[in-house]
Amino acid sequence: MTASPPPTSTQVPSPTRRRDSARTRQRLLDAARRHFARNGYAGTPVREIADEAGVNVSLVNRYFGSKEGLFAACLTEAIDGLRHTTADAPPDMLPSIIASEVADPGHYEHLLLLVRSSGDERADQIRIEVLRNYGEALAARAGWQPDVPDGEDLLLRAQLVLSTAIGMVLLRSAGLHPLASTSEQSLVAPLRDLVNAVLPPEQKGERPNGV
Amino acid sequence: MTASPPPTSTQVPSPTRRRDSARTRQRLLDAARRHFARNGYAGTPVREIADEAGVNVSLVNRYFGSKEGLFAACLTEAIDGLRHTTADAPPDMLPSIIASEVADPGHYEHLLLLVRSSGDERADQIRIEVLRNYGEALAARAGWQPDVPDGEDLLLRAQLVLSTAIGMVLLRSAGLHPLASTSEQSLVAPLRDLVNAVLPPEQKGERPNGV
Amino acid sequence: MTASPPPTSTQVPSPTRRRDSARTRQRLLDAARRHFARNGYAGTPVREIADEAGVNVSLVNRYFGSKEGLFAACLTEAIDGLRHTTADAPPDMLPSIIASEVADPGHYEHLLLLVRSSGDERADQIRIEVLRNYGEALAARAGWQPDVPDGEDLLLRAQLVLSTAIGMVLLRSAGLHPLASTSEQSLVAPLRDLVNAVLPPEQKGERPNGV
Amino acid sequence: MTASPPPTSTQVPSPTRRRDSARTRQRLLDAARRHFARNGYAGTPVREIADEAGVNVSLVNRYFGSKEGLFAACLTEAIDGLRHTTADAPPDMLPSIIASEVADPGHYEHLLLLVRSSGDERADQIRIEVLRNYGEALAARAGWQPDVPDGEDLLLRAQLVLSTAIGMVLLRSAGLHPLASTSEQSLVAPLRDLVNAVLPPEQKGERPNGV
DNA sequence: TATGAATGAGAATTCATTCAT
DNA sequence: GATGAATGAATTCTCATTCAT
């Protein structure tokens, strides 16, 4: 988010691979995402992140300017992480997509990140933008389109679905059983009920609840 | 929120009303709940809490032993705060109850508290217990009973509803519109769709264990 | 040391014995001596003393003005506690007197007190005076008299004996075995060797080491 | 004192000589020993130590983990500081060795440290071990050997001598005259009387185990 | 590029003391 | 005479950040 080109971990620049700044940067981002997602911004010391990344603490400031900068970079990265999830796929896949998002340890951290705040305005702005985009992507599956009036209710309902996903991740990470121990597959059925009721897939032509 | 003016010493000591330990304790609890709910455990200095309560910082340690103790006390208090919400009321009232819980500034802090962790084991235990009870109370409205086999799915679905409520509160507090600005009333309709689909009220006859 | 008459725990002023200030005062002194002796001045919170005395903390300030005042009072009290030990007794009893002083749990606290400092000038002055008197009392047994020139060496030697006693108490309280577990009786023999060599009892007429 | 200028990094980094961790560490240790010896553990704020060492307070935690850790490190260091004192030297030198130990401002702090307790169990264990070793080293000069029965009395007598030394240091630091102002040389004679009486040097022939 | 030393601000907690009853 | 509430200063420790190499 501050300096150096963003060559997201390209393969083997030099055989010895000493002093690979892009790699170091990415390791920091990965470790940071994990810790920020789990323990929140205030709850994670930068040293912990650097230790897990296996690099020196001061590199956080070198690469990201500050702890806030690192957090903002995590959020920015989360945009991509979430985009491909909600990219085009048959609308009726949504329940299983959510289930996988919620259950996949590689993905749910992105969702958790979205409810962690550093108090920093810039970061919060990124965060809210990501949330908004995510909601719109969900709403689009039910026929929502930008700048079309009366779409507010659809957007609201999409945000309800998003709420469910985020709440699920939180309660799972809190260890609330049976939710925490339910397999991805077993989550699909109740989620299908939920999505179909709250955000029914766009039916061509007729949409009875005239919003 | 238990804001009865003279909490324990019932005989109205003096018009100036200073040196009332029960009252001081409660003021600390109220301020703490607010701050912990909004900014998380690590994100709130005890001094901030004490300042808002208008008392000296050291009283936190005097009355609650430590910051952790204060946090645990908030959680314990949240049990009662949430209990009466889920107490007996016609099952079909659930959507509007959730809506009010989510929208009422006096109540949603209890929900937020449930996804804040201090890392302290004791506090986490209380937290998980409250969550579990809450889920069971919701499930009971759909006919769930403790120790009855095959109830797991109902419990899971109840926890999904709880997830939605918690997610909503979080996204509202993040300022995600339109969700954040939707009135309590307007939340009821989509919530009704959601609850009816995920956790349909017990149907007489079909489910013999008539609770 | 500050207020109220000093009626050192006279017997039963009133049958019910409620609100007996002299008694309270003495209980504080007793508890304070124990704690100051064992843990030093800075190492003992006044609350600990008050708790052991079974009275309210603020009475320390009421009766002794401050923590320093309480400490000074303990030292003052130690004067009497130590005086009767070194009062007139046959000089050849000195080793067994020291042994008993060192071993008796009721007495050695007075000795310990003498090497605890609060940093307060007034208290340190009392302390040094007690130490000086103690040394003189020991020296007197070897013929030392105030204001007689050339008595310095005798005083020095007496202070060496005092050093031994104090060092013994400290090492015993540190738990250094066998010293810590040696009975009073078994201490007498080596102490007799020591005293006889360092501070030989006054021999009438001839004292060969012409000091 | 171990005041050798460049403690570990032997290659003389730069004339300004900053950023030398080993040196910083040692400066902290030196200052700590002084303060702990004089004012006890509870009586010395870490800030005072850091100020005297001329470094930032937080380095205490960086290098020693905690105040307790620093104290324990002082004790550990005292082991070496005291060892060479009691190393092999003709037994009849003991009185003058004690005199120098007691009078040398670079040494007596080690002795004082041995009667200061932090209440920490680990530190107390080190302390008692050092005391024990010291006593054994003294006893060895009188023929004591480990695991030889009947050696207890010798050990006890050696600990009496140690008591004297420690008591002397304490009373000197309390400013008790004449003891406090007596020169090292003038201490030797009374100490010789004391040592010869309490812990007579091993006599050849009489004690067959000729060590 | 990377490291480790050092700093300074802030945070929680302890504790002697004062106040009001 | 005694209690418990409340205060403010001081203390230890953590942590993000900067400096020098």
Side-chain angles (χ1 to χ4, degrees):
Chain A
M1 228 337 66
T2 4
S4 79
T8 8
S9 171
T10 41
Q11 248 35 29
V12 195
S14 94
T16 52
R17 194 184 276 146
R18 289 183 326 164
R19 317 237 150 172
D20 182 340
S21 78
R23 184 180 159 84
T24 299
R25 202 186 126 93
Q26 188 59 42
R27 290 171 70 98
L28 278 172
L29 273 174
D30 289 344
R33 179 176 2 95
R34 243 194 308 278
H35 281 85
F36 285 145
R38 276 197 239 281
N39 306 355
Y41 178 80
T44 64
V46 280
R47 176 142 318 189
E48 226 165 68
I49 296 172
D51 282 357
E52 182 172 316
V55 304
N56 190 276
V57 209
S58 63
L59 293 187
V60 167
N61 297 278
R62 187 149 164 57
Y63 283 132
F64 303 95
S66 66
K67 187 187 179 184
E68 299 266 19
L70 173 56
F71 183 65
C74 285
L75 283 174
T76 303
E77 201 198 33
I79 298 178
D80 294 331
L82 290 171
R83 199 191 317 276
H84 71 89
T85 309
T86 51
D88 1 60
D92 61 346
M93 288 287 290
L94 191 51
S96 55
I97 287 179
I98 294 178
S100 92
E101 183 90 357
V102 163
D104 185 335
H107 282 11
Y108 73 75
E109 283 160 358
H110 286 132
L111 277 174
L112 275 182
L113 259 192
L114 298 183
V115 291
R116 304 301 194 187
S117 167
S118 69
D120 180 63
E121 199 150 325
R122 183 168 59 108
D124 273 3
Q125 221 165 327
I126 300 175
R127 189 162 70 101
I128 205 72
E129 212 177 297
V130 180
L131 284 169
R132 196 169 170 79
N133 288 342
Y134 204 125
E136 292 180 351
L138 290 179
R141 295 169 171 272
W144 177 88
Q145 283 181 316
D147 304 323
V148 168
D150 294 338
E152 277 244 318
D153 185 61
L154 270 188
L155 204 48
L156 173 67
R157 287 166 169 269
Q159 290 174 354
L160 236 66
V161 173
L162 181 53
S163 297
T164 309
I166 286 176
M168 286 172 75
V169 173
L170 275 163
L171 295 188
R172 280 172 71 95
S173 78
L176 178 66
H177 297 279
L179 177 55
S181 43
T182 300
S183 73
E184 180 181 332
Q185 285 182 333
S186 310
L187 288 176
V188 175
L191 277 174
R192 186 174 308 279
D193 290 349
L194 190 150
V195 171
N196 281 340
V198 176
L199 197 67
E202 191 177 10
Q203 278 132 13
K204 284 132 198 156
E206 84 308 6
R207 226 175 164 274
N209 46 345
V211 179
Chain B
M1 211 13 44
T2 63
S4 42
T8 297
S9 70
T10 39
Q11 71 263 25
V12 187
S14 95
T16 52
R17 194 186 279 144
R18 290 180 54 207
R19 309 248 154 187
D20 181 340
S21 78
R23 183 180 161 83
T24 299
R25 207 187 119 95
Q26 189 58 44
R27 289 172 70 96
L28 278 171
L29 271 175
D30 290 343
R33 176 171 12 88
R34 250 194 302 279
H35 282 84
F36 285 146
R38 277 196 238 282
N39 305 335
Y41 178 82
T44 64
V46 281
R47 169 142 322 182
E48 228 162 67
I49 295 172
D51 283 356
E52 181 171 317
V55 303
N56 190 279
V57 211
S58 69
L59 292 185
V60 167
N61 299 280
R62 184 155 159 52
Y63 285 128
F64 302 96
S66 65
K67 187 186 179 185
E68 300 263 20
L70 174 55
F71 183 66
C74 285
L75 283 175
T76 303
E77 202 198 32
I79 298 178
D80 294 331
L82 291 171
R83 199 194 315 278
H84 71 90
T85 307
T86 51
D88 353 64
D92 60 345
M93 288 286 291
L94 192 51
S96 54
I97 287 179
I98 294 177
S100 93
E101 183 89 358
V102 164
D104 185 335
H107 282 8
Y108 73 77
E109 282 159 358
H110 286 134
L111 277 175
L112 275 183
L113 222 43
L114 298 183
V115 292
R116 304 302 193 185
S117 168
S118 69
D120 180 61
E121 198 148 327
R122 185 170 57 106
D124 274 3
Q125 220 166 326
I126 300 175
R127 190 163 69 102
I128 206 72
E129 210 176 299
V130 181
L131 284 170
R132 196 171 169 78
N133 287 343
Y134 205 125
E136 292 181 353
L138 290 178
R141 294 168 172 272
W144 177 87
Q145 280 185 308
D147 304 324
V148 168
D150 293 340
E152 277 246 318
D153 184 61
L154 272 187
L155 204 49
L156 173 67
R157 286 165 170 270
Q159 290 174 353
L160 237 65
V161 173
L162 181 53
S163 297
T164 308
I166 285 175
M168 285 172 75
V169 173
L170 274 162
L171 295 188
R172 280 172 71 94
S173 78
L176 178 66
H177 297 278
L179 178 54
S181 44
T182 300
S183 74
E184 181 182 331
Q185 286 182 330
S186 310
L187 288 176
V188 175
L191 277 174
R192 188 174 305 278
D193 289 350
L194 189 151
V195 171
N196 281 340
V198 176
L199 198 67
E202 193 179 7
Q203 278 133 15
K204 286 141 195 142
E206 194 180 1
R207 271 186 157 263
N209 47 343
V211 179
Chain C
M1 231 328 77
T2 4
S4 79
T8 8
S9 171
T10 43
Q11 249 34 28
V12 195
S14 97
T16 51
R17 194 185 275 144
R18 288 183 328 166
R19 318 236 151 175
D20 182 339
S21 78
R23 184 181 159 84
T24 299
R25 200 186 128 93
Q26 189 59 42
R27 290 171 69 98
L28 279 171
L29 272 174
D30 290 343
R33 179 176 4 94
R34 243 196 306 280
H35 282 85
F36 286 146
R38 276 196 239 281
N39 306 349
Y41 178 81
T44 65
V46 281
R47 177 143 316 191
E48 225 164 71
I49 295 171
D51 283 356
E52 182 172 314
V55 304
N56 189 276
V57 208
S58 64
L59 293 185
V60 167
N61 297 277
R62 185 150 165 56
Y63 284 134
F64 303 96
S66 66
K67 186 187 180 185
E68 300 265 19
L70 173 56
F71 183 66
C74 286
L75 284 173
T76 304
E77 201 198 33
I79 299 177
D80 294 332
L82 291 170
R83 199 192 318 277
H84 73 89
T85 308
T86 52
D88 0 61
D92 61 345
M93 288 286 291
L94 191 50
S96 54
I97 287 179
I98 294 177
S100 92
E101 183 89 358
V102 163
D104 185 334
H107 283 10
Y108 72 76
E109 282 160 359
H110 286 132
L111 276 175
L112 275 182
L113 258 192
L114 298 182
V115 292
R116 305 301 194 186
S117 168
S118 70
D120 179 62
E121 200 150 324
R122 184 169 60 107
D124 274 4
Q125 223 166 327
I126 301 174
R127 187 162 71 100
I128 206 73
E129 211 177 297
V130 181
L131 283 169
R132 198 171 167 78
N133 288 341
Y134 205 126
E136 293 180 352
L138 290 178
R141 297 169 170 271
W144 177 86
Q145 283 180 318
D147 304 323
V148 168
D150 294 341
E152 277 244 318
D153 184 63
L154 271 187
L155 204 49
L156 173 67
R157 286 166 170 271
Q159 289 174 354
L160 236 67
V161 173
L162 181 53
S163 297
T164 308
I166 286 177
M168 285 172 74
V169 172
L170 275 163
L171 295 189
R172 280 173 69 96
S173 78
L176 178 66
H177 296 279
L179 178 54
S181 44
T182 301
S183 73
E184 181 181 333
Q185 286 182 332
S186 309
L187 288 176
V188 175
L191 277 174
R192 187 175 306 280
D193 289 350
L194 189 151
V195 171
N196 282 341
V198 176
L199 197 69
E202 191 178 11
Q203 277 132 15
K204 284 128 198 160
E206 82 308 5
R207 224 173 167 278
N209 48 344
V211 180
Chain D
M1 236 338 64
T2 61
S4 42
T8 297
S9 70
T10 40
Q11 70 264 24
V12 187
S14 93
T16 52
R17 193 186 279 145
R18 291 181 54 208
R19 311 246 154 187
D20 180 340
S21 79
R23 185 180 161 82
T24 299
R25 206 187 122 95
Q26 189 60 41
R27 288 172 71 95
L28 279 171
L29 271 174
D30 290 344
R33 177 170 11 88
R34 251 195 300 279
H35 281 85
F36 284 146
R38 277 196 238 282
N39 306 336
Y41 178 81
T44 62
V46 282
R47 169 143 322 182
E48 227 162 68
I49 295 171
D51 283 356
E52 182 172 316
V55 303
N56 190 279
V57 211
S58 68
L59 293 186
V60 167
N61 299 281
R62 183 155 158 54
Y63 286 127
F64 302 97
S66 66
K67 188 187 178 184
E68 300 265 20
L70 174 56
F71 184 65
C74 286
L75 283 174
T76 304
E77 202 198 33
I79 298 178
D80 294 332
L82 291 171
R83 200 195 313 279
H84 72 90
T85 308
T86 51
D88 352 65
D92 60 345
M93 289 286 291
L94 191 50
S96 53
I97 287 179
I98 294 178
S100 90
E101 182 89 358
V102 164
D104 185 334
H107 283 8
Y108 73 76
E109 283 160 357
H110 286 133
L111 278 174
L112 275 183
L113 221 44
L114 297 183
V115 291
R116 304 302 194 185
S117 168
S118 69
D120 179 62
E121 197 147 326
R122 185 171 57 107
D124 274 3
Q125 220 166 328
I126 300 176
R127 189 163 69 101
I128 205 72
E129 210 176 299
V130 181
L131 284 170
R132 195 169 172 80
N133 287 341
Y134 205 124
E136 292 182 352
L138 291 178
R141 294 169 171 271
W144 176 88
Q145 281 184 308
D147 304 322
V148 169
D150 293 340
E152 277 247 317
D153 184 61
L154 271 187
L155 204 48
L156 172 67
R157 286 165 170 269
Q159 289 174 354
L160 236 67
V161 173
L162 181 52
S163 297
T164 309
I166 284 176
M168 285 172 74
V169 173
L170 274 162
L171 295 188
R172 279 172 71 95
S173 78
L176 177 66
H177 298 277
L179 177 56
S181 43
T182 300
S183 72
E184 179 181 333
Q185 286 182 332
S186 310
L187 288 175
V188 175
L191 277 174
R192 187 174 307 280
D193 288 351
L194 189 151
V195 170
N196 283 340
V198 176
L199 197 67
E202 193 178 6
Q203 279 131 16
K204 288 140 195 145
E206 195 180 359
R207 272 186 157 263
N209 47 343
V211 179

